[in-house]
Amino acid sequence: MVMRISTKTIYDVGVNQIGTLQSSLARTQQQLSTGRKNLTAADDPIASARALEVTQSAGINEQMVTNRSNAKGLLSLETVALQSSTNLMTEIKTLAVKAGAGSLSQADRESIAVELEGRLADLLGQANTSDGVGGYVFSGYKSTTQPFTPTANGVVYNGDQGQRELQVASTRKVAISDSGSSVFENNLTGNGRFATGASPANYDRGGTGIIAPGSVTDPTKLTGSKYQIDFQVTPAVPGTPASTTYTITDLTLNQPVPATPVPAVPVPYVSGQAIAFDGMTFDIKGAPADGDQFSVEPSTKKSVFSAIDDMIKALRAPGSGAAGQASLSNALNQAQNSIDNTADNILSVQAAVGSRLKELDSLDSAGDDLKLQYATVLSELQDVDYVAAISMFTQQSTNLDAAQKSFKSLSGLSLFNYI
């Protein structure tokens, strides 16, 4: 049986085949021009879906890079401010030691007080460091509020206790600021566990007693009470020399406290001899007058600005002679303890900021590795194999050329050519 093929069928089949070959060739050419093997999601739905996920992850990773860069900028500003504050604290401590010299005149002390006022203004400037974008480094969550404001009653903190954070990795947030309160106001008085002090009235009585900051001998025995040390001086009488004794009273419990080395009431006073009770030890040197008082109480938090202001006031307070020097020494000792604690606190904050910067560097390294990994995966999912594509393009081009030539020959056949 002979199958007859009409001329129309020959043309239809030929055109369809050439069209198919042209479409395939055009697709391969588009792959080569775009570098993508999947031109639409329909080409490979699974690979396209996976590529979308990887692209989104890569975008998030790029955003984290930007966040880490911003975090580094803010933390670097804080580091500079903290380092400058540390330098200022060193200068203030040097001035405090200089101010304690007994050979200084009142004019000399006034000169040091003026220098301290300058350092106080400089420190206030560091505490009000700007973040460069209209905010402040040490204002907590109130980033647009100036943290510290000088007033007639001292420096006032206007920020809050917040610590701003920034997402720097998919599962990690890093603090990019510290509140001014935690840096400049979160400073303990005394030795950090208890603070000693002298009554201002001791100067009027002519007492020259100077109390030391002391230390903790047994933390388990600390009571958290406030104590008062009262001195009694018995004048000398014929046959009996003058004597100085003291009593210690727990003001919180309102009861006397026995002290070592002599657990008696009152206790004979010896200049420079250790006074120990309730897990604490310190000494008092000099010659306290009758009625002089000293205090021992738990450490409290005090602003560094207040401590410097107290030092300035002590330098300008009227006083002369041994009693005046003792009053100045007691005031300076208290202020220096607060300044030392502030310096230590600033160094601790600075170390914490440094550790955050180091962590950001580590996260940057991990982020670079992720970026390379995402690029590799995307390349495997999307990039065309140029060798295979060029080979396919050449083959398809040859096929199309042969199809066109054969169609031309086939469509030219006709019985009329033989008539």
Side-chain angles (χ1 to χ4, degrees):
M1 179 179 178
V2 178
M3 185 175 90
R4 297 187 178 187
I5 300 177
S6 66
T7 301
K8 182 179 182 303
T9 301
I10 293 174
Y11 274 90
D12 288 344
V13 172
V15 169
N16 288 338
Q17 289 177 339
I18 291 174
T20 300
L21 290 173
Q22 285 178 328
S23 297
S24 299
L25 184 63
R27 184 178 183 281
T28 303
Q29 191 277 331
Q30 191 174 0
Q31 287 178 326
L32 288 170
S33 63
T34 61
R36 299 293 181 89
K37 63 182 177 181
N38 298 321
L39 301 176
T40 65
D43 294 337
D44 190 339
I46 296 178
S48 298
R50 176 61 178 151
L52 178 60
E53 293 176 356
V54 174
T55 300
Q56 291 175 338
S57 298
I60 293 174
N61 187 55
E62 286 299 318
Q63 182 60 53
M64 294 302 104
V65 171
T66 301
N67 289 358
R68 287 194 292 271
S69 178
N70 294 337
K72 284 183 178 181
L74 292 171
L75 290 176
S76 295
L77 284 174
E78 183 176 355
T79 298
V80 172
L82 292 173
Q83 183 59 54
S84 298
S85 299
T86 299
N87 295 337
L88 286 171
M89 297 306 297
T90 301
E91 295 177 10
I92 291 170
K93 289 167 64 176
T94 301
L95 289 173
V97 173
K98 180 181 178 182
S103 59
L104 296 180
S105 65
Q106 191 60 39
D108 295 331
R109 296 192 182 102
E110 175 61 27
S111 177
I112 295 175
V114 172
E115 285 191 65
L116 284 172
E117 285 180 332
R119 300 299 185 276
L120 177 59
D122 292 341
L123 186 62
L124 184 61
Q126 295 301 326
N128 287 330
T129 297
S130 170
D131 61 9
V133 290
Y136 296 90
V137 173
F138 298 109
S139 57
Y141 291 136
K142 297 181 178 181
S143 59
T144 58
T145 301
Q146 180 174 307
F148 295 95
T149 304
T151 67
N153 297 322
V155 177
V156 176
Y157 180 60
N158 305 308
D160 57 27
Q161 309 303 316
Q163 189 177 43
R164 299 194 298 274
E165 293 183 333
L166 191 61
Q167 190 87 31
V168 294
S170 58
T171 59
R172 182 73 175 98
K173 289 184 178 181
V174 166
I176 57 173
S177 70
D178 292 276
S179 69
S181 178
S182 65
V183 177
F184 299 100
E185 294 189 322
N186 190 27
N187 308 299
L188 295 172
T189 57
N191 56 33
R193 301 302 297 272
F194 66 89
T196 59
S199 170
N202 292 357
Y203 168 71
D204 298 327
R205 289 186 285 266
T208 61
I210 301 174
I211 188 168
S215 60
V216 175
T217 57
D218 188 349
T220 62
K221 293 183 179 180
L222 295 177
T223 64
S225 295
K226 293 184 178 181
Y227 302 89
Q228 181 172 293
I229 305 172
D230 295 280
F231 277 82
Q232 304 85 36
V233 178
T234 303
V237 296
T240 304
S243 65
T244 301
T245 58
Y246 63 88
T247 56
I248 304 173
T249 304
D250 185 328
L251 298 179
T252 304
L253 300 178
N254 193 27
Q255 64 184 25
V257 178
T260 57
V262 182
V265 179
V267 182
Y269 168 71
V270 178
S271 178
Q273 187 177 69
I275 300 174
F277 58 91
D278 291 348
M280 301 177 291
T281 183
F282 55 90
D283 64 66
I284 299 175
K285 296 179 181 178
D290 185 51
D292 277 3
Q293 294 180 338
F294 297 86
S295 63
V296 180
E297 57 186 39
S299 294
T300 57
K301 293 180 180 180
K302 187 173 187 177
S303 165
V304 64
F305 305 111
S306 296
I308 298 173
D309 190 56
D310 289 345
M311 189 182 299
I312 294 172
K313 290 178 180 178
L315 290 171
R316 287 175 171 164
S320 59
Q325 184 62 38
S327 178
L328 176 63
S329 295
N330 282 319
L332 289 178
N333 286 342
Q334 284 185 302
Q336 285 187 66
N337 287 335
S338 295
I339 289 172
D340 287 340
N341 291 336
T342 299
D344 292 340
N345 184 50
I346 291 176
L347 287 174
S348 297
V349 175
Q350 193 172 354
V353 172
S355 68
R356 292 177 219 158
L357 285 169
K358 185 176 181 180
E359 181 181 359
L360 289 173
D361 288 337
S362 298
L363 290 173
D364 271 343
S365 178
D368 290 340
D369 293 339
L370 275 177
K371 182 178 180 180
L372 179 60
Q373 181 181 352
Y374 290 144
T376 301
V377 173
L378 282 175
S379 177
E380 293 174 353
L381 293 171
Q382 295 180 330
D383 292 352
V384 68
D385 184 346
Y386 280 97
V387 174
I390 291 173
S391 176
M392 179 63 70
F393 182 83
T394 302
Q395 180 182 352
Q396 289 172 336
S397 179
T398 301
N399 292 343
L400 178 60
D401 185 57
Q404 289 173 336
K405 290 181 179 180
S406 62
F407 176 71
K408 180 180 179 182
S409 299
L410 182 61
S411 62
L413 295 177
S414 175
L415 290 176
F416 293 102
N417 293 334
Y418 299 96
I419 297 177

